[in-house]
Amino acid sequence: MKNIYDIAELAHLYCPGSIGYNAQRRFVRLLKSEKELWDCLCALHYRPYQRALTPKQYAAITAVLGDPDEA
């Protein structure tokens, strides 16, 4: 199991049509659109400018949005 999940890589998996920073912007918008997920991430000390996710933050995202390979 990984200890750190790169947000840029995850953004490209959830937003495959986007490139570069645009994928990350769309990914953060997606996270904010899910109110309960966003509240959970904030409780886990997520900040939109961070470059990596903790395992708990990653688990919260995949619990709501599903596995990124299946998105």
Side-chain angles (χ1 to χ4, degrees), residues 1 3 9 13 15 17 19-20 32 35 37 43-45 49 51 53-55 59-62 67:
M1 181 175 175
N3 289 331
E9 290 177 21
L13 291 174
C15 306
I19 57 172
K32 287 182 177 182
K35 177 76 170 120
L37 172 59
L44 294 171
H45 307 287
Y49 55 81
R51 295 182 180 165
L53 297 169
T54 66
I61 291 170
T62 56
D67 189 35

Side-chain angles (χ1 to χ4, degrees), residues 3-50:
N3 289 331
I4 297 176
Y5 297 88
D6 184 57
I7 289 181
E9 290 177 21
L10 199 58
H12 287 287
L13 291 174
Y14 279 108
C15 306
S18 299
I19 57 172
Y21 184 68
N22 194 37
Q24 288 178 261
R25 285 186 22 231
R26 288 184 64 198
F27 182 60
V28 171
R29 263 191 257 144
L30 175 65
L31 297 178
K32 287 182 177 182
S33 72
E34 298 288 337
K35 177 76 170 120
E36 290 181 22
L37 172 59
W38 186 251
D39 292 342
C40 179
L41 288 174
C42 289
L44 294 171
H45 307 287
Y46 172 80
R47 301 294 177 254
Y49 55 81
Q50 72 186 55

